[in-house]
Amino acid sequence: MSRQKTLDFEMIFESTPVACLVLTPELTIVAASNRYLAVVMATHKDIVGRALFDVHLPNPADPQDDGMRALRVSLDRVLLHRVADTMAVQCREIPRPDGQGIEARYWRATNAPVLSPNGQVLYIVHHLDDVTEYVHLQQWAREHEERARQLGLQAESLKREMESCAQDVAARAAEMTRSNTELEQFAYAASHDLQEPLRMVSSYVQLLAHRYHGRLGQDADDFITYALDGAKRMQTLIADLLRFSRIGTQGKPFVPTSLDAVLDRALASLRHEIEETKASVTRDALPVVQADEIQMAQVFQNLIGNALKFHGEASPRIHIGYEHCEHEHLVSVQDNGIGIEPQYLERIFMIFQRLHTRAEYSGTGVGLALCKRVVERHHGRIWAESIPAQGSAFYFTIPDREGNPS
Amino acid sequence: MIRDNGKIIEILLIEDNPGDVRLTRECMLDNKVRNTLNVAVDGEDALCYLRKEGKYANAATPDLIMLDLNLPRKSGFEVLKEIKMDERLKVIPVVVLTSSQAEKDILASYSLNANAYVSKPVDLFEFTNAISQIREFWLEIVKLPTE
């Protein structure tokens, strides 16, 4: 072993933290790095100077010694082609750095020729790269690839389900629209066709009353009165039903509508009732919203009309309030009237539902159902809150965006 | 305004509802202007009458037609159309008198050249009032083409 004056390459080579062997073209080991010795768990004496394939370096991870066969093939290739050859990754267990037993690590061996100036192979450098992290990463990637593929499939499946659900929803919405339209048409046709025979009943009972009042006896007069009363009520019911059924079919497209102006209109039409009950009406400033003006007027008229009608001993004090919530206009009509018991707060919005006898308060029970229909056509919500004997508040919302009427 | 030429105004009422016929008849009875109310109960019958076909060979030409839209078989619209397309009949004023308040019916009627559209009021006295006003307007105020 000669030592150089300038650099002790031998020492450098042996200390280099790379697992390396230097072989002659005849495959004798002429040098080995310390790292290599540590990896194969051998000493310098065990292997240096000996023929490579005489040295048995057991590898429990490779019981068939496939590695040795592969090494031979690789070295032959290097000798033949005089270019470096990289082998397939092999597993080999080595002692753990902390001395606590052994661990499996993965190595990629490369055999690189050292050529003379005229291209002859002088040496072959066999070096091992610790590619354990790489292998682990590969394994991890494969596992995760598989997981990702599974997730992908699940996502696909969920997407299909969602699309199917969306289709269901769309179909049902379409069905409901169609059904609603049919119902409206039915209600319209029914009310329309009911008017004719009703007119006959009503007109001729009135004629009877007119022509024979007092001439057929008290019983007849009473009977005629009840019949007339019934006919009149039916007229009102049918008219209300007609109005109700036309909300969708006769609704106009939404345009920017000043709710202040609409409220003015409603209050003007209720002028008589306001004077009669000596009501006081206060109001917040109302915004301009996308709405059907006539239908909005109907809502205000019904809500304020109710507030005027269902008053207690005191004169009605009515306040129309406004609040802008996130993306919504919130309008309220509050009164100090007789109130509504909590168990009826939802029922009152159903058509023809009344909470009082006709002797107590007039009305067909369509007003609130109509309000609900109109508000819902405008994509809003309507509800009531109340404390019996203290008063009620009716709230409705209109979305604050460009809406399209249904 | 009282007409003093003694002519009796001929009215054709095309109406299938006997109740309405009677009501209308009662209302059209008038002392000021004498009139005869002739009734056809469906469209075919009415057109026969107007064209003086078959048993109606000697029928008088009406000075005024009151037409209900809601007729069996031939609809009121079809009758209106045929009247207004007939060279001899189209000058006769036609008052459409019907239960419908539907805007599309109103528009359709005027599009077919109805002279007036009246919705029959549901209340009896409003109804009689309306008929009286029709009577006053068309028989006393308006000049009819057949005079």
Side-chain angles (χ1 to χ4, degrees):
Chain A
M1 282 191 296
S2 60
R3 288 177 192 263
Q4 303 281 350
K5 275 209 198 89
T6 45
L7 286 173
D8 190 338
F9 281 104
E10 200 174 334
M11 194 169 82
I12 292 170
F13 171 77
E14 284 171 1
S15 311
T16 266
V18 178
C20 261
L21 278 186
V22 180
L23 305 163
T24 63
E26 294 76 35
L27 303 183
T28 305
I29 301 171
V30 292
S33 71
N34 293 337
R35 178 83 181 124
Y36 185 87
L37 295 175
V39 168
V40 303
M41 292 185 278
T43 66
H44 196 270
K45 226 170 23 155
D46 287 339
I47 62 172
V48 174
R50 297 180 61 189
L52 176 62
F53 292 105
D54 282 347
V55 171
H56 179 60
L57 299 167
N59 181 5
D62 181 12
Q64 308 274 19
D65 264 351
D66 288 327
M68 286 315 249
R69 266 194 289 281
L71 181 55
R72 188 183 284 276
V73 167
S74 175
L75 289 170
D76 284 342
R77 253 207 293 272
V78 170
L79 287 167
L80 183 61
H81 299 293
R82 291 175 235 162
V83 289
D85 184 75
T86 304
M87 291 169 60
V89 172
Q90 254 203 306
C91 180
R92 178 180 263 278
E93 289 170 346
I94 66 163
R96 289 169 60 104
D98 54 14
Q100 313 272 355
I102 53 173
E103 59 176 351
R105 295 198 77 84
Y106 293 85
W107 308 94
R108 184 189 284 120
T110 310
N111 299 306
V114 176
L115 299 175
S116 68
N118 61 358
Q120 301 291 358
V121 178
L122 292 175
Y123 304 99
I124 299 178
V125 177
H126 168 87
H127 94 263
L128 295 175
D129 273 328
D130 186 338
V131 292
T132 310
E133 266 77 43
Y134 166 74
V135 167
H136 284 167
L137 212 60
Q138 257 193 339
Q139 281 172 347
W140 184 92
R142 258 196 298 275
E143 276 166 27
H144 281 78
E145 212 174 70
E146 178 56 26
R147 266 200 66 198
R149 199 182 62 84
Q150 299 264 354
L151 285 172
L153 285 175
Q154 273 181 17
E156 278 293 316
S157 161
L158 278 173
K159 188 173 131 177
R160 272 193 300 275
E161 253 185 65
M162 246 179 62
E163 278 168 1
S164 164
C165 276
Q167 274 175 359
D168 271 347
V169 167
R172 241 177 271 165
E175 175 62 29
M176 255 184 55
T177 306
R178 195 190 60 80
S179 169
N180 269 339
T181 309
E182 267 190 9
L183 267 171
E184 280 193 6
Q185 286 172 347
F186 173 77
Y188 178 82
S191 342
H192 202 249
D193 291 326
L194 287 171
Q195 301 247 29
E196 174 83 11
L198 177 63
R199 211 164 41 75
M200 290 296 100
V201 169
S202 186
S203 303
Y204 280 98
V205 171
Q206 280 181 36
L207 253 182
L208 272 175
H210 185 66
R211 221 171 263 195
Y212 296 102
H213 182 75
R215 290 159 57 183
L216 296 171
Q218 185 58 46
D219 277 355
D221 285 347
D222 288 345
F223 297 165
I224 288 173
T225 307
Y226 291 134
L228 254 181
D229 190 50
K232 273 212 174 62
R233 272 191 298 128
M234 217 170 119
Q235 277 174 24
T236 318
L237 272 170
I238 290 181
D240 280 347
L241 193 56
L242 255 176
R243 262 192 316 140
F244 180 83
S245 68
R246 279 166 156 176
I247 289 168
T249 51
Q250 285 207 348
K252 304 222 170 18
F254 296 156
V255 294
T257 303
S258 159
L259 288 184
D260 268 329
V262 168
L263 178 55
D264 288 339
R265 258 174 79 159
L267 290 174
S269 70
L270 290 165
R271 201 178 27 226
H272 181 65
E273 288 84 344
I274 294 175
E275 277 172 22
E276 246 188 22
T277 57
K278 300 200 197 353
S280 80
V281 180
T282 55
R283 55 197 274 187
D284 291 347
L286 298 179
V288 171
V289 304
Q290 288 286 114
D292 176 329
E293 190 182 351
I294 295 178
Q295 291 188 344
M296 273 293 123
Q298 285 175 322
V299 172
F300 276 108
Q301 210 160 320
N302 274 302
L303 293 180
I304 299 171
N306 282 348
L308 290 168
K309 182 160 63 174
F310 294 103
H311 64 88
E313 304 242 320
S315 288
R317 267 200 338 273
I318 302 170
H319 177 72
I320 293 106
Y322 169 69
E323 240 181 81
H324 187 275
C325 309
E326 241 185 87
H327 304 304
E328 268 187 348
H329 299 287
L330 178 64
V331 178
S332 59
V333 177
Q334 295 164 29
D335 66 60
N336 61 337
I338 60 175
I340 304 158
E341 282 165 65
Q343 64 264 34
Y344 299 132
L345 284 174
E346 283 184 29
R347 240 179 67 174
I348 51 178
F349 290 101
M350 284 165 57
I351 191 167
F352 296 147
Q353 286 293 319
R354 307 186 74 248
L355 299 183
H356 305 278
T357 66
R358 274 175 298 114
E360 293 165 332
Y361 293 98
S362 64
T364 52
V366 158
L368 286 176
L370 192 141
C371 289
K372 180 162 184 267
R373 207 84 159 75
V374 168
V375 166
E376 284 173 357
R377 179 174 177 253
H378 285 71
H379 305 292
R381 306 182 317 276
I382 185 167
W383 71 97
E385 291 172 13
S386 176
I387 301 173
Q390 280 193 35
S392 307
F394 282 78
Y395 299 92
F396 67 89
T397 63
I398 300 181
D400 183 9
R401 55 172 167 80
E402 296 286 306
N404 289 310
S406 49
Chain B
M1 195 204 309
I2 300 171
R3 295 193 199 288
D4 56 2
N5 59 6
K7 183 177 188 289
I8 298 172
I9 307 291
E10 295 282 335
I11 303 169
L12 174 64
L13 171 64
I14 311 173
E15 168 69 70
D16 71 315
N17 183 334
D20 273 335
V21 169
R22 171 126 181 211
L23 282 176
T24 310
R25 197 186 284 285
E26 300 258 341
C27 297
M28 291 307 279
L29 288 174
D30 184 61
N31 295 328
K32 282 191 255 175
V33 181
R34 291 158 66 196
N35 62 82
T36 306
L37 190 72
N38 304 290
V39 179
V41 297
D42 70 49
E44 296 280 8
D45 205 38
L47 289 166
C48 283
Y49 181 93
L50 289 166
R51 292 174 180 140
K52 306 194 208 304
E53 292 168 1
K55 62 180 175 181
Y56 296 121
N58 296 318
T61 305
D63 301 302
L64 175 68
I65 297 174
M66 286 162 64
L67 169 66
D68 183 50
L69 290 179
N70 196 9
L71 297 170
R73 290 179 293 279
K74 208 165 221 173
S75 82
F77 284 119
E78 284 173 27
V79 175
L80 177 59
K81 199 166 168 188
E82 288 193 39
I83 292 173
K84 289 301 176 182
M85 290 206 317
D86 185 314
E87 283 301 314
R88 291 162 305 155
L89 301 175
K90 69 185 187 185
V91 296
I92 308 173
V94 176
V95 175
V96 169
L97 184 66
T98 189
S99 320
S100 171
Q101 295 182 45
E103 280 85 3
K104 60 177 166 63
D105 285 348
I106 301 174
L107 187 60
S109 301
Y110 280 112
S111 302
L112 291 170
N113 297 314
N115 297 77
Y117 186 102
V118 178
S119 281
K120 292 182 199 171
V122 185
D123 179 78
L124 170 70
F125 293 107
E126 284 178 32
F127 179 88
T128 55
N129 201 35
I131 301 293
S132 301
Q133 291 196 41
I134 291 171
R135 187 195 67 228
E136 276 174 38
F137 182 73
W138 287 100
L139 270 56
E140 297 173 36
I141 297 173
V142 154
K143 291 244 182 283
L144 294 170
T146 49
E147 289 179 70

